[in-house]
Amino acid sequence: MKDESSAIAEPRLPISSPEANIGSAQGERPAGRPQRTASAGRTRRPVSAGLVFGFLGVLSFSFTLPFTRVVVGELDPLFVGAGRAVVAAALSIIVLLVIRPRLPRGRQWLRLLVVAAGVVAGFPLLTSFAMQSAPAAHGAVVIGVLPAATAVVAVLRGGERPSRAFWLASIAGLGAVVVFVAVSGGGLTGLHPSDLLLLAAVVLAAIGYAEGALLARELGSWQIICWALVIGLPVMLPLALVGASHGPLTAGPGAWLALAYVSIVSQFIGFFVWYRGLAIGPIATISQVQLLQPVLTIVWAALLFGEGLDPVVVIAATVVVVCAGSAVRARVSKHAPAIVNPVAGENAPA
């Protein structure tokens, strides 16, 4: 199979060149129909598609903290945090061997190392240890800082410039998340020692998200997490073996199923759609969809673990959704242009 082949097809954005919008195959457009400009085509479709992919990623991630808490209750947290990356890396190797995409080049390897440090090693390991002592609801409120942190990294790294309305909506959404968790399960009952681990996980994840999104415009969204997992395997495999040596690997079926989810979905498949959404961007805008993650997390906790939901929770959740929607609609300028696809030779996100 040639290097240029790809079994996972991804839609391309409309080409921005004027020639791509001049009529049909006959060189003319139907009479009486207004000509559609390239700018109009690039304004609505990419953002809406990015939001769809972003929400699917958030939906995948929203189960991560509850399921991690289930697993670390029965298995060593080092084994859980590193083991999920090892399983996902094995799946990545299979995908890469079958599809055989173009290899990263030069500085792209260093940038993939940054992604691996953030989302393959840092976030899984730190949250696994944090979930030993912190309630899932408390963890959700700290992780609620992640959208704002990702937006800040997008400003520093990607050159995006969100408007004042964006920051106001983001701050309001962050406040709504705090209130939501507080009224839904006592998530703010006190300062936990694990908060430092969670905050460090947020910083590393934000860097990994933003850098991965920029790199996805060059390599492709699914390739980013695959290469990052492979790069992290020489470190994560020994850590998983050390964690396995801390005690017998005995756990119930529920814990093993939860570990399978965080390994296959949270660490692997979820990143396919998440990086795709961020790559379409703007990164700062799509990242705000994560404001919904604590809401979804506590809803799943209620359904799976019997925690109650009252009308106050529904009202708070509605406020969170409104704030997230306002942040998404707010203007973000200096959106990075489409990258030239190295295979097709056209302007299109990979």
Side-chain angles (χ1 to χ4, degrees):
M1 186 177 295
K2 296 181 180 180
D3 290 345
E4 295 85 352
S5 62
S6 176
I8 303 179
E10 297 180 350
R12 298 175 180 173
L13 297 183
I15 300 174
S16 60
S17 62
E19 293 80 6
N21 298 280
I22 302 178
S24 59
Q26 288 75 25
E28 296 180 358
R29 57 187 172 87
R33 180 178 297 178
Q35 183 177 0
R36 184 182 181 187
T37 63
S39 60
R42 292 183 57 124
T43 300
R44 290 186 294 271
R45 288 179 59 191
V47 172
S48 62
L51 292 176
V52 171
F53 283 113
F55 175 76
L56 291 176
V58 167
L59 181 63
S60 302
F61 299 151
S62 63
F63 290 94
T64 302
L65 287 184
F67 284 168
T68 300
R69 179 130 175 98
V70 170
V71 181
V72 297
E74 301 187 41
L75 295 171
D76 182 82
L78 180 60
F79 171 76
V80 173
R84 59 183 272 188
V86 172
V87 173
L91 296 175
S92 298
I93 292 174
I94 295 174
V95 172
L96 291 171
L97 288 177
V98 171
I99 299 176
R100 300 175 70 180
R102 177 180 65 84
L103 290 173
R105 300 173 182 174
R107 295 187 68 251
Q108 290 176 339
W109 288 109
L110 294 177
R111 297 167 65 187
L112 283 169
L113 185 62
V114 172
V115 175
V119 303
V120 174
F123 188 86
L125 288 172
L126 293 173
T127 54
S128 294
F129 281 100
M131 287 296 98
Q132 277 191 305
S133 57
H138 186 86
V141 73
V142 181
I143 299 301
V145 182
L146 186 52
T150 304
V152 170
V153 178
V155 169
L156 298 176
R157 180 67 182 87
E160 296 182 352
R161 294 294 181 268
S163 64
R164 181 177 300 177
F166 171 90
W167 290 116
L168 291 176
S170 298
I171 293 172
L174 177 60
V177 168
V178 173
V179 173
F180 175 78
V181 176
V183 302
S184 62
L188 300 178
T189 54
L191 183 64
H192 291 252
S194 57
D195 286 341
L196 291 178
L197 294 177
L198 291 170
L199 288 173
V202 165
V203 173
L204 290 174
I207 296 173
Y209 285 168
E211 190 63 45
L214 294 172
L215 197 52
R217 294 169 179 166
E218 303 173 23
L219 295 177
S221 55
W222 65 270
Q223 292 96 319
I224 298 304
I225 190 60
C226 287
W227 288 119
L229 286 164
V230 170
I231 288 175
L233 184 59
V235 174
M236 304 308 285
L237 180 57
L239 289 178
L241 294 176
V242 171
S245 68
H246 289 168
L249 297 179
T250 56
W256 287 113
L257 287 174
L259 180 59
Y261 182 91
V262 298
S263 301
I264 299 172
V265 180
S266 299
Q267 189 66 67
F268 187 60
I269 298 176
F271 278 101
F272 283 29
V273 290
W274 178 240
Y275 275 135
R276 177 61 180 161
L278 289 177
I280 294 174
I283 300 171
T285 296
I286 305 302
S287 68
Q288 299 311 297
V289 180
Q290 274 201 308
L291 286 170
L292 303 178
Q293 187 166 324
V295 177
L296 295 172
T297 296
I298 295 179
V299 169
W300 307 144
L303 295 176
L304 296 174
F305 309 125
E307 299 180 6
L309 288 175
D310 53 45
V312 176
V313 174
V314 176
I315 294 173
T318 303
V319 174
V320 172
V321 173
V322 170
C323 293
S326 300
V328 165
R329 289 193 300 270
R331 182 172 178 268
V332 177
S333 61
K334 294 188 68 176
H335 181 199
I339 302 297
V340 174
N341 189 311
V343 173
E346 299 172 351
N347 288 336

